[in-house]
Amino acid sequence: MPPLRLICFLFLLLPASAQALTLRMCVDFNPHPPLVMSKGEGVVDRLVAAAAHEAGLTLVRYYAPVARCREELRAGKVDAFPLTPYIDALRPFLVFPMAAGKPDVLRSVSAVRQLVYRRQGSLASWNGSVAAGLGMPVLVSFGSVLVTERLTASRVPFDDNGKSTAVNLTKLMARRGDLLVGYEHDVEALLARPEFAGKVEALPIPFSDEICYLTVTPAFYRANRAQVERMWDAIGRLRKQARAQALENSAQPAEAIKK
């Protein structure tokens, strides 16, 4: 067999993983520890990478502001986003793992909670749907569709010009806003900094408690439905295994005491 034909023949014999389809995933350039991190070491980062590998997909991450990710997904310039709440504004251009016509919680990547924060001693409050005691708008990170939709529906004034949670905390301390809405883990990590420590408190009622999913564009799903479904199935199985392992590990000390 001539060399060129031999090379082509051998290429056809390569396993599927060696000929893997590329999945281009846009990721928020603001890290959300411990879920999504700038170097792909977060819990969701590792989960998605492992599931994509099982499905025969080569994962390529691209970091950008979340608003840009959303527009590039809408335009079909990238294929996926790793941490997506199921909200109406995103459904026209993103596909979620579904079961019986509803988002499949068993194949989600994580639950994500957003809390409302205020300066220590402030009288501003949040009852789950209405903000009171406001002299300044609620501070929201730029591109937060879920938050801005709900605040708009409740007619609560907000400022979504802050590019990050750190920026919004600085604005809160400078009295440029009376409340701040942010991801619990993001804010708590920042509150360890000297400029914020002991000066900001979380209100007891969460702003939101959402199940999030790895989503793909409709075009990518139509072209690669079987592989995407295998990836979502792998996410569900790997998360279940991780939870079982965590329960087993947490039970070990108690068992040791019994012995």
Side-chain angles (χ1 to χ4, degrees):
M1 185 180 294
L4 181 57
R5 290 180 61 191
L6 177 60
I7 292 171
C8 292
F9 177 74
L10 291 174
F11 181 78
L12 292 174
L13 295 180
L14 288 173
S17 59
Q19 305 176 45
L21 174 72
T22 297
L23 176 69
R24 302 165 299 167
M25 186 169 72
C26 195
V27 182
D28 187 359
F29 76 159
N30 287 311
H32 300 290
L35 303 179
V36 177
M37 306 288 282
S38 58
K39 295 183 180 179
E41 72 270 29
V43 174
V44 170
D45 294 319
R46 295 195 298 270
L47 174 63
V48 170
H53 178 74
E54 283 199 22
L57 296 167
T58 296
L59 181 64
V60 176
R61 294 184 180 88
Y62 163 62
Y63 293 88
V66 66
R68 186 188 302 170
C69 284
R70 186 166 58 248
E71 293 311 310
E72 294 195 355
L73 287 159
R74 196 193 306 271
K77 294 180 179 179
V78 291
D79 306 311
F81 191 78
L83 202 64
T84 315
Y86 188 77
I87 56 177
D88 289 341
L90 304 177
R91 291 172 58 190
F93 61 93
L94 289 175
V95 180
F96 293 76
M98 305 293 287
K102 297 180 180 180
D104 189 353
V105 175
L106 296 179
R107 297 191 289 173
S108 62
V109 294
S110 184
V112 177
R113 194 163 76 144
Q114 296 197 72
L115 300 183
V116 182
Y117 296 85
R118 68 184 179 188
R119 292 181 301 279
Q120 287 278 5
S122 170
L123 298 179
S125 63
W126 170 255
N127 69 2
S129 58
V130 177
L134 295 181
M136 299 293 291
V138 176
L139 299 168
V140 180
S141 292
F142 181 72
S144 300
V145 174
L146 182 150
V147 180
T148 56
E149 275 194 348
R150 292 186 182 179
L151 291 177
T152 299
S154 300
R155 298 184 179 180
V156 176
F158 61 86
D159 172 359
D160 64 344
N161 292 313
K163 301 298 183 183
S164 69
T165 303
V167 168
N168 279 339
L169 274 172
T170 301
K171 292 171 73 171
L172 183 70
M173 295 311 303
R175 299 182 180 274
R176 294 171 60 189
D178 289 319
L179 295 175
L180 178 154
V181 178
Y183 290 111
E184 180 178 15
H185 291 300
D186 295 4
V187 179
E188 294 303 321
L190 290 166
L191 291 185
R193 294 183 181 180
E195 63 266 37
F196 306 129
K199 301 174 183 177
V200 176
E201 62 182 351
L203 297 182
I205 301 176
F207 183 87
S208 66
D209 198 346
E210 299 293 325
I211 303 297
C212 289
Y213 304 85
L214 169 68
T215 51
V216 299
T217 63
F220 191 87
Y221 184 76
R222 286 193 300 267
N224 309 285
R225 179 171 181 166
Q227 284 171 295
V228 173
E229 291 289 345
R230 283 201 298 272
M231 178 172 59
W232 283 333
D233 288 345
I235 284 172
R237 178 174 48 77
L238 292 169
R239 277 200 77 198
K240 184 177 180 179
Q241 289 175 353
R243 286 193 293 267
Q245 185 63 53
L247 287 172
E248 181 180 337
N249 291 342
S250 66
Q252 284 177 0
E255 292 299 323
I257 291 171
K258 290 179 183 178
K259 292 177 182 179

